[in-house]
Amino acid sequence: AQSVSQHNHHVILSEAASLELGCNYSYGGTVNLFWYVQYPGQHLQLLLKYFSGDPLVKGIKGFEAEFIKSKFSFNLRKPSVQWSDTAEYFCAVVNDMRFGAGTRLTVKP
Amino acid sequence: GAVVSQHPSWVICKSGTSVKIECRSLDFQATTMFWYRQFPKQSLMLMATSNEGSKATYEQGVEKDKFLINHASLTLSTLTVTSAHPEDSSFYICSAYKSGTRADTQYFGPGTRLTVL
């Protein structure tokens, strides 16, 4: 069955630590992958997206994600997190608007 | 930037009553809007795709007669939860994307928290 998995439910980091949030999908064929972020009390907003081309995608606020087809993964990374990155992060396959369960990131100052 | 609003932001109702939730694109026209449901600590689940001027497309397992969707104009879609029961309590989120663009430009509403007593 088609699915999107985010393995980390809650990640706690200190400022300046590096971040990697996992996202795996089980789809055949071409997939269009997005990462969304939801800051406390705010709407979901697009962080970055991948349709095709360069598998390393750069998004807003210093985030990037790498599409690895052989691993069915689209992990989100940021070299140095800030307290303001505290939020919920969702990976999604927009072919059918399927979202992962989300990962809550807490960054301690 | 594009703004999507939802009204009400929260609602409490008695079991058996119907509740209508509005989703509006405030500064753009949206041919397509999506309705999602989010359970605590779980993912957003796509319920239906709402297309202006035509019937909504429901995802498997979503009851059409339970969750009535109307997309009467390019800026408004409504979701009516009919004969609500406690198990319908959830967070309902809509999104919309600008006509003529792809889904990567979808903008999300703030959500509506429904509590059915």
Side-chain angles (χ1 to χ4, degrees), chain B residues 52-95:
Chain B
E52 186 268 336
S54 65
K55 290 184 179 180
T57 304
Y58 290 82
E59 295 300 303
Q60 193 173 10
V62 178
E63 298 175 61
K64 301 177 185 181
D65 297 330
K66 174 76 173 176
F67 299 100
L68 300 178
I69 292 173
N70 184 282
H71 194 156
S73 78
L74 286 171
T75 59
L76 173 65
S77 175
T78 60
L79 168 68
T80 301
V81 183
T82 62
S83 187
H85 290 283
E87 58 265 29
D88 298 324
S89 297
S90 190
F91 197 56
Y92 293 88
I93 301 172
C94 75
S95 72

Coordinates of all heavy atoms in Angstrom, one line a residue, chain B residues 52-95:
Chain B
E52 N -14.6 23.7 -7.9 CA -15.6 24.7 -8.1 C -16.5 24.3 -9.2 O -16.1 23.9 -10.3 CB -14.9 26.0 -8.4 CG -15.9 27.2 -8.5 CD -16.4 27.4 -9.9 OE1 -15.7 27.0 -10.8 OE2 -17.5 28.0 -10.0
G53 N -17.8 24.3 -8.9 CA -18.8 24.0 -9.9 C -19.1 22.5 -10.2 O -19.9 22.2 -11.0
S54 N -18.4 21.6 -9.4 CA -18.7 20.2 -9.7 C -18.7 19.5 -8.3 O -18.4 20.0 -7.3 CB -17.6 19.6 -10.6 OG -16.4 19.7 -10.0
K55 N -19.0 18.2 -8.4 CA -19.0 17.4 -7.2 C -17.6 17.2 -6.6 O -16.7 17.0 -7.4 CB -19.7 16.1 -7.5 CG -21.2 16.2 -7.7 CD -21.8 14.8 -7.9 CE -23.3 14.9 -8.1 NZ -24.0 13.6 -8.3
A56 N -17.6 17.1 -5.4 CA -16.3 16.8 -4.7 C -15.9 15.3 -5.0 O -16.7 14.5 -5.2 CB -16.3 17.1 -3.2
T57 N -14.6 15.1 -5.0 CA -14.0 13.8 -5.1 C -13.6 13.3 -3.7 O -12.7 13.9 -3.1 CB -12.8 13.8 -6.0 OG1 -13.2 14.3 -7.3 CG2 -12.3 12.3 -6.2
Y58 N -14.2 12.3 -3.2 CA -13.9 11.8 -1.9 C -12.9 10.7 -1.9 O -12.8 9.9 -2.8 CB -15.2 11.3 -1.2 CG -16.2 12.4 -0.9 CD1 -17.0 12.9 -1.8 CD2 -16.2 12.9 0.4 CE1 -17.9 13.9 -1.5 CE2 -17.1 14.0 0.7 CZ -18.0 14.4 -0.2 OH -18.8 15.5 0.0
E59 N -12.1 10.7 -0.8 CA -11.1 9.6 -0.7 C -11.8 8.3 -0.2 O -12.9 8.4 0.4 CB -10.0 10.0 0.3 CG -9.2 11.2 -0.2 CD -8.4 10.9 -1.5 OE1 -7.7 9.9 -1.5 OE2 -8.7 11.6 -2.5
Q60 N -11.1 7.3 -0.4 CA -11.7 6.0 0.0 C -11.9 6.0 1.5 O -11.1 6.4 2.3 CB -10.8 4.8 -0.3 CG -11.4 3.5 -0.2 CD -10.5 2.4 -0.8 OE1 -9.3 2.7 -1.1 NE2 -11.0 1.2 -0.9
G61 N -13.1 5.5 1.9 CA -13.4 5.4 3.4 C -14.1 6.7 3.9 O -14.5 6.7 5.1
V62 N -14.2 7.7 3.2 CA -14.8 9.0 3.7 C -16.3 9.0 3.2 O -16.5 8.8 2.0 CB -14.1 10.2 3.1 CG1 -14.8 11.5 3.6 CG2 -12.6 10.2 3.6
E63 N -17.2 9.1 4.1 CA -18.6 9.0 3.8 C -19.1 10.3 3.1 O -19.1 11.4 3.8 CB -19.4 8.8 5.0 CG -19.1 7.4 5.7 CD -19.9 7.3 7.0 OE1 -21.1 7.3 7.0 OE2 -19.2 7.2 8.1
K64 N -19.5 10.2 1.9 CA -20.0 11.4 1.2 C -21.2 12.1 1.9 O -21.4 13.3 1.9 CB -20.4 11.0 -0.2 CG -19.3 10.4 -1.1 CD -19.9 10.0 -2.4 CE -18.8 9.3 -3.2 NZ -19.3 8.9 -4.6
D65 N -22.1 11.2 2.4 CA -23.3 11.8 3.0 C -23.1 12.3 4.4 O -23.9 13.1 4.9 CB -24.4 10.7 3.1 CG -24.8 10.2 1.7 OD1 -24.7 11.0 0.8 OD2 -25.1 9.0 1.6
K66 N -22.0 11.9 4.9 CA -21.6 12.4 6.3 C -20.9 13.8 6.2 O -21.1 14.7 7.0 CB -20.7 11.4 6.9 CG -20.1 11.8 8.2 CD -21.1 11.6 9.3 CE -20.5 11.8 10.7 NZ -21.6 11.8 11.7
F67 N -20.0 13.9 5.2 CA -19.2 15.1 5.0 C -19.6 15.7 3.7 O -19.0 15.3 2.7 CB -17.7 14.7 5.1 CG -17.3 14.1 6.4 CD1 -17.1 12.7 6.5 CD2 -17.0 14.9 7.5 CE1 -16.7 12.2 7.7 CE2 -16.6 14.4 8.7 CZ -16.5 13.0 8.8
L68 N -20.5 16.6 3.8 CA -21.0 17.3 2.5 C -20.1 18.5 2.2 O -19.8 19.3 3.0 CB -22.4 17.8 2.8 CG -23.5 16.7 3.1 CD1 -24.8 17.3 3.3 CD2 -23.5 15.6 2.0
I69 N -19.6 18.5 0.9 CA -18.8 19.5 0.5 C -19.4 20.3 -0.7 O -19.9 19.7 -1.6 CB -17.4 18.9 0.0 CG1 -16.6 18.4 1.3 CG2 -16.6 20.0 -0.7 CD1 -15.4 17.7 0.9
N70 N -19.4 21.6 -0.5 CA -19.9 22.4 -1.6 C -18.9 23.5 -1.9 O -18.4 24.2 -1.1 CB -21.2 23.1 -1.1 CG -21.9 23.9 -2.2 OD1 -21.5 25.1 -2.4 ND2 -22.9 23.4 -2.8
H71 N -18.6 23.6 -3.2 CA -17.6 24.6 -3.7 C -18.3 25.5 -4.7 O -18.1 25.3 -5.9 CB -16.5 23.8 -4.3 CG -15.2 24.7 -4.5 ND1 -14.0 24.1 -4.6 CD2 -15.1 26.0 -4.7 CE1 -13.1 25.1 -4.8 NE2 -13.7 26.2 -4.9
A72 N -19.2 26.4 -4.2 CA -20.1 27.2 -5.0 C -19.4 28.3 -5.7 O -19.9 28.8 -6.7 CB -21.2 27.7 -4.2
S73 N -18.3 28.7 -5.3 CA -17.6 29.9 -5.9 C -16.1 29.6 -5.9 O -15.6 28.7 -5.3 CB -17.9 31.2 -5.2 OG -17.2 31.3 -4.0
L74 N -15.4 30.5 -6.6 CA -13.9 30.3 -6.7 C -13.2 30.7 -5.4 O -12.0 30.6 -5.4 CB -13.4 31.1 -7.9 CG -13.7 30.5 -9.3 CD1 -13.3 31.5 -10.4 CD2 -12.9 29.2 -9.5
T75 N -13.9 31.2 -4.5 CA -13.3 31.6 -3.2 C -13.8 30.9 -2.0 O -13.4 31.2 -0.9 CB -13.3 33.1 -3.0 OG1 -14.7 33.5 -3.0 CG2 -12.6 33.9 -4.2
L76 N -14.8 30.1 -2.2 CA -15.5 29.5 -1.0 C -15.8 28.0 -1.2 O -16.4 27.6 -2.2 CB -16.7 30.3 -0.7 CG -17.6 29.7 0.4 CD1 -16.9 29.7 1.8 CD2 -19.0 30.4 0.5
S77 N -15.4 27.2 -0.2 CA -15.8 25.8 -0.1 C -16.3 25.6 1.3 O -15.7 26.2 2.2 CB -14.6 24.9 -0.4 OG -15.0 23.5 -0.3
T78 N -17.3 24.8 1.4 CA -17.8 24.5 2.7 C -17.9 23.0 3.0 O -18.1 22.2 2.0 CB -19.3 25.1 2.9 OG1 -20.1 24.5 2.0 CG2 -19.3 26.6 2.8
L79 N -17.6 22.7 4.2 CA -17.7 21.3 4.6 C -18.7 21.2 5.7 O -18.6 21.9 6.7 CB -16.3 20.8 5.2 CG -16.3 19.5 6.0 CD1 -16.6 18.3 5.0 CD2 -15.0 19.3 6.7
T80 N -19.7 20.4 5.5 CA -20.8 20.2 6.5 C -20.7 18.8 7.1 O -20.8 17.8 6.3 CB -22.2 20.5 5.9 OG1 -22.2 21.8 5.4 CG2 -23.2 20.3 7.0
V81 N -20.5 18.8 8.4 CA -20.5 17.5 9.1 C -21.9 17.2 9.5 O -22.4 17.9 10.4 CB -19.5 17.5 10.3 CG1 -19.5 16.1 10.9 CG2 -18.1 17.9 9.8
T82 N -22.6 16.3 8.9 CA -24.0 16.0 9.2 C -24.1 15.0 10.4 O -23.3 14.1 10.5 CB -24.7 15.5 8.0 OG1 -24.1 14.3 7.6 CG2 -24.6 16.5 6.8
S83 N -25.1 15.3 11.2 CA -25.4 14.4 12.3 C -24.1 14.0 13.0 O -23.7 12.8 13.1 CB -26.1 13.1 11.8 OG -26.6 12.3 12.9
A84 N -23.4 15.0 13.5 CA -22.1 14.8 14.1 C -22.2 13.9 15.3 O -23.1 13.9 16.1 CB -21.5 16.1 14.4
H85 N -21.1 13.1 15.5 CA -21.0 12.2 16.7 C -19.6 12.4 17.3 O -18.7 13.0 16.6 CB -21.2 10.7 16.2 CG -22.6 10.4 15.9 ND1 -23.6 10.2 16.8 CD2 -23.1 10.3 14.6 CE1 -24.7 10.0 16.2 NE2 -24.5 10.0 14.9
P86 N -19.5 12.0 18.5 CA -18.2 12.3 19.2 C -16.9 11.8 18.4 O -15.9 12.5 18.4 CB -18.3 11.5 20.5 CG -19.8 11.6 20.8 CD -20.4 11.5 19.5
E87 N -17.1 10.8 17.6 CA -16.0 10.3 16.8 C -15.6 11.2 15.7 O -14.5 11.0 15.0 CB -16.2 8.9 16.3 CG -17.4 8.7 15.4 CD -18.6 8.2 16.2 OE1 -18.7 8.5 17.4 OE2 -19.5 7.6 15.6
D88 N -16.5 12.2 15.4 CA -16.2 13.1 14.3 C -15.3 14.3 14.9 O -14.8 15.1 14.1 CB -17.4 13.7 13.8 CG -18.3 12.7 13.1 OD1 -17.7 11.7 12.5 OD2 -19.5 12.7 13.2
S89 N -15.1 14.3 16.2 CA -14.3 15.3 16.8 C -12.9 15.2 16.2 O -12.3 14.2 16.2 CB -14.3 15.2 18.3 OG -15.5 15.3 18.9
S90 N -12.4 16.4 15.7 CA -11.1 16.3 15.1 C -10.8 17.8 14.7 O -11.5 18.7 15.0 CB -11.2 15.5 13.8 OG -9.9 15.2 13.3
F91 N -9.6 17.9 14.1 CA -9.1 19.2 13.5 C -9.3 19.1 12.0 O -8.7 18.2 11.4 CB -7.7 19.4 14.0 CG -7.2 20.8 13.8 CD1 -7.8 21.8 14.5 CD2 -6.0 21.0 13.1 CE1 -7.3 23.1 14.4 CE2 -5.6 22.3 13.0 CZ -6.2 23.4 13.6
Y92 N -10.1 20.0 11.5 CA -10.3 20.0 10.0 C -9.6 21.1 9.4 O -9.7 22.3 9.8 CB -11.8 20.1 9.7 CG -12.6 18.8 10.2 CD1 -13.1 18.7 11.5 CD2 -12.8 17.8 9.3 CE1 -13.7 17.6 11.9 CE2 -13.4 16.6 9.8 CZ -13.9 16.6 11.1 OH -14.6 15.4 11.5
I93 N -8.8 20.8 8.4 CA -8.0 21.8 7.7 C -8.3 21.8 6.2 O -8.5 20.8 5.6 CB -6.5 21.5 7.9 CG1 -6.1 21.4 9.3 CG2 -5.6 22.5 7.1 CD1 -4.7 21.0 9.6
C94 N -8.4 23.0 5.7 CA -8.6 23.1 4.2 C -7.3 23.8 3.6 O -6.5 24.4 4.3 CB -9.8 23.9 3.9 SG -9.6 25.7 4.1
S95 N -7.2 23.5 2.3 CA -6.1 24.2 1.6 C -6.7 24.6 0.2 O -7.7 24.0 -0.2 CB -4.9 23.3 1.5 OG -5.1 22.3 0.6

